[in-house]
Amino acid sequence: MTLQKFLTEKPWIWSFVASIIVWITTVLFTGGASSLGLSQAALTFAAFSVIVGIGQMFVITLGPGNIDLSVPATMTLSGTLALKLMDVQDGMILFGLFASIGIGLIIGLGNYILIKLLRIPPIIATLSMSFIVQSVAIWSNRGLRIKPPETLAGFATSGLFGIPNIALVALVLSVIAWVLLEKSIYGRWISAIGQSRFAARMAGIPVDGARLVTYMLCAVLASVCGYLLASFSGGAALNMGSEYLLMSIAVVVVGGTAVAGGNSNIPGIWGASLFMFLVVSMLNTYGFGAGFRLILTGFIIIAVILLAGGHKSHR
Amino acid sequence: MKLSSGTIRLIIPAASLALLLAAVFYMQPRAMSYTGLNLLFNLAIPIALATIAQMLIMSINDLDLSMGTFVSFCACVAATVLQTSPLLGALIFIGAIAVYAGMGMLIHVRDLPSIVVTLGMSFVWGGLAVLLLPSPGGTAPTWARAIMTAKPPLVPMAIIASILIAAVTHYIVMRSSFGVLMRGTGGNDRSVERAGWSVIGIRAATYALAGLFAIFAGIALVGLTTSADANIALRYTLLSIAGVILGGGEFVGGKVSPIGAVIGALTLTLAGSFLSFMRISPDWQIGAQGAILIVVLALRLALNRLEKREKHQ
């Protein structure tokens, strides 16, 4: 009875259980040889999904219709511009980071201005914004591939005690996000807004301020992720963000956050990100082609939402 | 003269389309011809069909994030199986419609978010398309090619097709009793259920119909491009949503307009041509499309305010 209660209160457990099962199946196939490499790769690539996923989660918490589609474009622009600014100089690393945070702040502000002033649904507002951001990225990139500064590239690709640095960064960001969501008044506000914006407004919550901060937070996390991803992969590419559009939404939902808003959790994003990466590498290990891999990924997302979404959500 | 709110809803999309068209004609008078118009609007037919499919889903408060991959999948089927063995191809399409209906029922029965289910399905359709056509290729069925390249007298095919699509869907969505039930489900599914209708049946039928239009979109696309690949229509997901919104539709409440959706799709297609006539550098074309979207929506907001003020008086 208590176990059952624990499981229903903590929906994110499932994504971790699933990740562990998939990890074991993959390692068994290779006879245990790949366990360390697989774990490190999983932690690294999951970390990128975690960083964008946290931002997307805050936005989704705001309630139905709130989704940030400008995440991939923001990642691309921030990665491109930051590398251009740093220009392979180690001394500019911090400056590049601040620049990419600045880009995130501007895009987030722009998103919310469109949503608020033009009363456009967030999906369309962030979509229009992403077109513009993408254009700026194309214009500034010009097909050049600038390498990241050596120290930064070294940091992004190495680890501490066997744990990739990127994963540690994501962990720190997750802890901050968890405190924000669970322990701060801001977290209570956005959950309240997600459950009922009208009631939240009546209760005196600064709804507009909280929403503005949330869209800016999401854009900043996306641009930091773009900065790290560009440093990790040795340069920015115009399509580097594209797979994170669906991924950022998928990890949030598979992780057990209510899509209707108002009920979110951070650990689930980790479980889901690890799971999504491990499934792909398991199918690779078993020699499935790209087609089957995509089909199975789709079925898994639907299966997870079927299992996790059994309770009635209030719309 | 009293205008219904539905008509007012159509004014902005129609006006922005007319304005864009006028601008294109002004810059390139040669576009004002049979061939010119056909070239301008040819690619709009599949987009219009996909937009209608998205609009049907949106009329019951759902959103289909798999539209682009599904149209790509249909294009791949049309260019391969449908071309070599029409019967098997038709069976695959019927199966796909059944999957769409099943998806609609599943979303209703388990009260799942449509965004996530269609997100999952987008991987499935994408995978199936890759299996069918690992590399770009295939051939369009001759009849699809014949329809899409037909040259009827006086009015170009693209215009006739757009009007036909708008008329047929306007009848289905706005005039037929099924359309009323569908929009009613979007407005308040509980009251539709209390009135004795099966909401699950309505949802299944709506999804099936959306699947059918998306299949038409895939076939029309292959008819235009003569071959297909697994990523041919990925941008249709976002284009179709933008088209519905441009055409005056809303995300919730069953407020949709089929004529508006077709006009929205035409506007989006024309915006691309307009920008190339403006000699805007290709770097900025996507961005300018975003800007056009924002401007049209701002105009709509202004008109909505006007409408409200009139109501208050």
Side-chain angles (χ1 to χ4, degrees), chain A residues 4-25:
Chain A
Q4 199 180 5
K5 197 177 164 217
F6 179 75
L7 284 177
T8 45
E9 274 176 9
K10 304 256 186 298
W12 48 266
I13 292 285
W14 296 109
S15 56
F16 278 96
V17 172
S19 303
I20 293 169
I21 295 173
V22 175
W23 185 85
I24 293 175
T25 346

mmCIF file of all heavy atoms in Angstrom, chain A residues 4-25:
data_model
loop_
_atom_site.group_PDB
_atom_site.id
_atom_site.type_symbol
_atom_site.label_atom_id
_atom_site.label_comp_id
_atom_site.label_asym_id
_atom_site.label_seq_id
_atom_site.Cartn_x
_atom_site.Cartn_y
_atom_site.Cartn_z
ATOM 1 N N GLN A 4 2.684 1.425 -3.249
ATOM 2 C CA GLN A 4 1.811 1.868 -4.328
ATOM 3 C C GLN A 4 1.616 3.385 -4.274
ATOM 4 O O GLN A 4 1.655 4.077 -5.289
ATOM 5 C CB GLN A 4 0.472 1.162 -4.192
ATOM 6 C CG GLN A 4 -0.328 1.185 -5.465
ATOM 7 C CD GLN A 4 -1.654 0.474 -5.308
ATOM 8 O OE1 GLN A 4 -2.021 0.045 -4.219
ATOM 9 N NE2 GLN A 4 -2.371 0.358 -6.391
ATOM 10 N N LYS A 5 1.455 3.895 -3.047
ATOM 11 C CA LYS A 5 1.256 5.323 -2.874
ATOM 12 C C LYS A 5 2.505 6.077 -3.333
ATOM 13 O O LYS A 5 2.430 7.095 -4.016
ATOM 14 C CB LYS A 5 0.972 5.613 -1.390
ATOM 15 C CG LYS A 5 0.354 6.971 -1.171
ATOM 16 C CD LYS A 5 0.022 7.196 0.304
ATOM 17 C CE LYS A 5 -0.211 8.660 0.568
ATOM 18 N NZ LYS A 5 0.291 9.092 1.840
ATOM 19 N N PHE A 6 3.655 5.514 -2.953
ATOM 20 C CA PHE A 6 4.916 6.120 -3.329
ATOM 21 C C PHE A 6 5.027 6.222 -4.849
ATOM 22 O O PHE A 6 5.397 7.252 -5.396
ATOM 23 C CB PHE A 6 6.060 5.272 -2.749
ATOM 24 C CG PHE A 6 7.429 5.772 -3.093
ATOM 25 C CD1 PHE A 6 7.945 6.898 -2.463
ATOM 26 C CD2 PHE A 6 8.204 5.129 -4.047
ATOM 27 C CE1 PHE A 6 9.211 7.359 -2.780
ATOM 28 C CE2 PHE A 6 9.476 5.594 -4.361
ATOM 29 C CZ PHE A 6 9.969 6.714 -3.730
ATOM 30 N N LEU A 7 4.625 5.119 -5.522
ATOM 31 C CA LEU A 7 4.757 5.073 -6.970
ATOM 32 C C LEU A 7 3.796 6.055 -7.646
ATOM 33 O O LEU A 7 4.148 6.689 -8.632
ATOM 34 C CB LEU A 7 4.506 3.661 -7.490
ATOM 35 C CG LEU A 7 5.665 2.696 -7.266
ATOM 36 C CD1 LEU A 7 5.295 1.307 -7.757
ATOM 37 C CD2 LEU A 7 6.926 3.168 -7.948
ATOM 38 N N THR A 8 2.583 6.161 -7.118
ATOM 39 C CA THR A 8 1.639 7.062 -7.775
ATOM 40 C C THR A 8 1.988 8.520 -7.508
ATOM 41 O O THR A 8 1.703 9.393 -8.314
ATOM 42 C CB THR A 8 0.192 6.799 -7.302
ATOM 43 O OG1 THR A 8 0.217 6.668 -5.887
ATOM 44 C CG2 THR A 8 -0.385 5.567 -7.929
ATOM 45 N N GLU A 9 2.653 8.773 -6.350
ATOM 46 C CA GLU A 9 3.025 10.156 -6.069
ATOM 47 C C GLU A 9 4.292 10.570 -6.802
ATOM 48 O O GLU A 9 4.560 11.743 -6.973
ATOM 49 C CB GLU A 9 3.218 10.348 -4.562
ATOM 50 C CG GLU A 9 1.918 10.659 -3.852
ATOM 51 C CD GLU A 9 2.112 10.756 -2.355
ATOM 52 O OE1 GLU A 9 3.264 10.743 -1.898
ATOM 53 O OE2 GLU A 9 1.096 10.835 -1.653
ATOM 54 N N LYS A 10 5.074 9.571 -7.162
ATOM 55 C CA LYS A 10 6.344 9.880 -7.824
ATOM 56 C C LYS A 10 6.365 9.255 -9.214
ATOM 57 O O LYS A 10 7.000 8.221 -9.419
ATOM 58 C CB LYS A 10 7.521 9.336 -7.002
ATOM 59 C CG LYS A 10 7.556 9.820 -5.572
ATOM 60 C CD LYS A 10 8.624 10.892 -5.404
ATOM 61 C CE LYS A 10 8.791 11.305 -3.957
ATOM 62 N NZ LYS A 10 7.602 11.902 -3.349
ATOM 63 N N PRO A 11 5.678 9.853 -10.182
ATOM 64 C CA PRO A 11 5.575 9.228 -11.505
ATOM 65 C C PRO A 11 6.915 9.137 -12.223
ATOM 66 O O PRO A 11 7.060 8.374 -13.168
ATOM 67 C CB PRO A 11 4.623 10.171 -12.258
ATOM 68 C CG PRO A 11 4.700 11.466 -11.532
ATOM 69 C CD PRO A 11 4.983 11.131 -10.107
ATOM 70 N N TRP A 12 7.899 9.915 -11.753
ATOM 71 C CA TRP A 12 9.183 9.923 -12.462
ATOM 72 C C TRP A 12 9.987 8.660 -12.239
ATOM 73 O O TRP A 12 10.921 8.372 -12.955
ATOM 74 C CB TRP A 12 10.018 11.137 -12.067
ATOM 75 C CG TRP A 12 10.120 11.369 -10.580
ATOM 76 C CD1 TRP A 12 9.327 12.177 -9.828
ATOM 77 C CD2 TRP A 12 11.068 10.789 -9.682
ATOM 78 N NE1 TRP A 12 9.712 12.142 -8.519
ATOM 79 C CE2 TRP A 12 10.789 11.301 -8.394
ATOM 80 C CE3 TRP A 12 12.132 9.900 -9.823
ATOM 81 C CZ2 TRP A 12 11.527 10.947 -7.273
ATOM 82 C CZ3 TRP A 12 12.863 9.538 -8.705
ATOM 83 C CH2 TRP A 12 12.550 10.063 -7.448
ATOM 84 N N ILE A 13 9.589 7.854 -11.191
ATOM 85 C CA ILE A 13 10.303 6.601 -10.925
ATOM 86 C C ILE A 13 10.359 5.747 -12.182
ATOM 87 O O ILE A 13 11.369 5.168 -12.521
ATOM 88 C CB ILE A 13 9.577 5.809 -9.810
ATOM 89 C CG1 ILE A 13 9.705 6.540 -8.475
ATOM 90 C CG2 ILE A 13 10.123 4.408 -9.704
ATOM 91 C CD1 ILE A 13 11.047 6.423 -7.833
ATOM 92 N N TRP A 14 9.214 5.740 -12.916
ATOM 93 C CA TRP A 14 9.088 4.832 -14.059
ATOM 94 C C TRP A 14 10.162 5.074 -15.106
ATOM 95 O O TRP A 14 10.722 4.137 -15.659
ATOM 96 C CB TRP A 14 7.707 4.964 -14.691
ATOM 97 C CG TRP A 14 6.655 4.533 -13.740
ATOM 98 C CD1 TRP A 14 5.748 5.316 -13.095
ATOM 99 C CD2 TRP A 14 6.404 3.195 -13.294
ATOM 100 N NE1 TRP A 14 4.959 4.557 -12.276
ATOM 101 C CE2 TRP A 14 5.332 3.256 -12.376
ATOM 102 C CE3 TRP A 14 6.989 1.952 -13.569
ATOM 103 C CZ2 TRP A 14 4.826 2.130 -11.740
ATOM 104 C CZ3 TRP A 14 6.479 0.830 -12.941
ATOM 105 C CH2 TRP A 14 5.424 0.932 -12.037
ATOM 106 N N SER A 15 10.449 6.357 -15.371
ATOM 107 C CA SER A 15 11.426 6.624 -16.426
ATOM 108 C C SER A 15 12.807 6.130 -16.015
ATOM 109 O O SER A 15 13.579 5.676 -16.847
ATOM 110 C CB SER A 15 11.445 8.124 -16.759
ATOM 111 O OG SER A 15 11.691 8.877 -15.608
ATOM 112 N N PHE A 16 13.099 6.168 -14.695
ATOM 113 C CA PHE A 16 14.388 5.650 -14.245
ATOM 114 C C PHE A 16 14.430 4.134 -14.337
ATOM 115 O O PHE A 16 15.418 3.557 -14.797
ATOM 116 C CB PHE A 16 14.679 6.096 -12.801
ATOM 117 C CG PHE A 16 15.225 7.482 -12.728
ATOM 118 C CD1 PHE A 16 14.392 8.552 -12.475
ATOM 119 C CD2 PHE A 16 16.575 7.724 -12.950
ATOM 120 C CE1 PHE A 16 14.894 9.836 -12.422
ATOM 121 C CE2 PHE A 16 17.087 8.997 -12.907
ATOM 122 C CZ PHE A 16 16.236 10.063 -12.642
ATOM 123 N N VAL A 17 13.335 3.497 -13.902
ATOM 124 C CA VAL A 17 13.275 2.030 -13.996
ATOM 125 C C VAL A 17 13.481 1.603 -15.443
ATOM 126 O O VAL A 17 14.297 0.724 -15.747
ATOM 127 C CB VAL A 17 11.915 1.518 -13.469
ATOM 128 C CG1 VAL A 17 11.762 0.030 -13.745
ATOM 129 C CG2 VAL A 17 11.781 1.807 -11.982
ATOM 130 N N ALA A 18 12.775 2.292 -16.355
ATOM 131 C CA ALA A 18 12.881 1.950 -17.776
ATOM 132 C C ALA A 18 14.309 2.155 -18.272
ATOM 133 O O ALA A 18 14.843 1.334 -19.011
ATOM 134 C CB ALA A 18 11.900 2.794 -18.586
ATOM 135 N N SER A 19 14.939 3.272 -17.842
ATOM 136 C CA SER A 19 16.310 3.545 -18.282
ATOM 137 C C SER A 19 17.243 2.415 -17.847
ATOM 138 O O SER A 19 18.084 1.957 -18.617
ATOM 139 C CB SER A 19 16.829 4.848 -17.682
ATOM 140 O OG SER A 19 16.006 5.903 -18.010
ATOM 141 N N ILE A 20 17.082 1.990 -16.588
ATOM 142 C CA ILE A 20 17.972 0.945 -16.069
ATOM 143 C C ILE A 20 17.777 -0.349 -16.852
ATOM 144 O O ILE A 20 18.736 -1.006 -17.254
ATOM 145 C CB ILE A 20 17.722 0.736 -14.563
ATOM 146 C CG1 ILE A 20 18.152 1.998 -13.805
ATOM 147 C CG2 ILE A 20 18.481 -0.475 -14.042
ATOM 148 C CD1 ILE A 20 17.735 2.026 -12.365
ATOM 149 N N ILE A 21 16.497 -0.693 -17.125
ATOM 150 C CA ILE A 21 16.241 -1.925 -17.887
ATOM 151 C C ILE A 21 16.913 -1.843 -19.261
ATOM 152 O O ILE A 21 17.598 -2.769 -19.694
ATOM 153 C CB ILE A 21 14.721 -2.148 -18.052
ATOM 154 C CG1 ILE A 21 14.098 -2.403 -16.684
ATOM 155 C CG2 ILE A 21 14.436 -3.301 -19.000
ATOM 156 C CD1 ILE A 21 12.598 -2.474 -16.699
ATOM 157 N N VAL A 22 16.735 -0.710 -19.932
ATOM 158 C CA VAL A 22 17.315 -0.565 -21.268
ATOM 159 C C VAL A 22 18.841 -0.631 -21.192
ATOM 160 O O VAL A 22 19.496 -1.259 -22.024
ATOM 161 C CB VAL A 22 16.852 0.760 -21.911
ATOM 162 C CG1 VAL A 22 17.554 0.980 -23.239
ATOM 163 C CG2 VAL A 22 15.360 0.754 -22.108
ATOM 164 N N TRP A 23 19.413 0.008 -20.166
ATOM 165 C CA TRP A 23 20.860 0.007 -20.005
ATOM 166 C C TRP A 23 21.372 -1.420 -19.853
ATOM 167 O O TRP A 23 22.317 -1.830 -20.508
ATOM 168 C CB TRP A 23 21.229 0.844 -18.764
ATOM 169 C CG TRP A 23 22.703 1.031 -18.549
ATOM 170 C CD1 TRP A 23 23.486 1.983 -19.105
ATOM 171 C CD2 TRP A 23 23.554 0.233 -17.725
ATOM 172 N NE1 TRP A 23 24.769 1.843 -18.679
ATOM 173 C CE2 TRP A 23 24.849 0.776 -17.820
ATOM 174 C CE3 TRP A 23 23.347 -0.882 -16.899
ATOM 175 C CZ2 TRP A 23 25.940 0.254 -17.141
ATOM 176 C CZ3 TRP A 23 24.438 -1.403 -16.208
ATOM 177 C CH2 TRP A 23 25.713 -0.844 -16.338
ATOM 178 N N ILE A 24 20.667 -2.199 -19.000
ATOM 179 C CA ILE A 24 21.099 -3.585 -18.766
ATOM 180 C C ILE A 24 21.005 -4.399 -20.054
ATOM 181 O O ILE A 24 21.922 -5.130 -20.416
ATOM 182 C CB ILE A 24 20.262 -4.223 -17.635
ATOM 183 C CG1 ILE A 24 20.585 -3.521 -16.312
ATOM 184 C CG2 ILE A 24 20.530 -5.709 -17.528
ATOM 185 C CD1 ILE A 24 19.729 -3.978 -15.156
ATOM 186 N N THR A 25 19.883 -4.221 -20.793
ATOM 187 C CA THR A 25 19.721 -4.993 -22.028
ATOM 188 C C THR A 25 20.837 -4.694 -23.012
ATOM 189 O O THR A 25 21.334 -5.584 -23.692
ATOM 190 C CB THR A 25 18.389 -4.645 -22.724
ATOM 191 O OG1 THR A 25 17.573 -3.945 -21.817
ATOM 192 C CG2 THR A 25 17.681 -5.858 -23.216
#
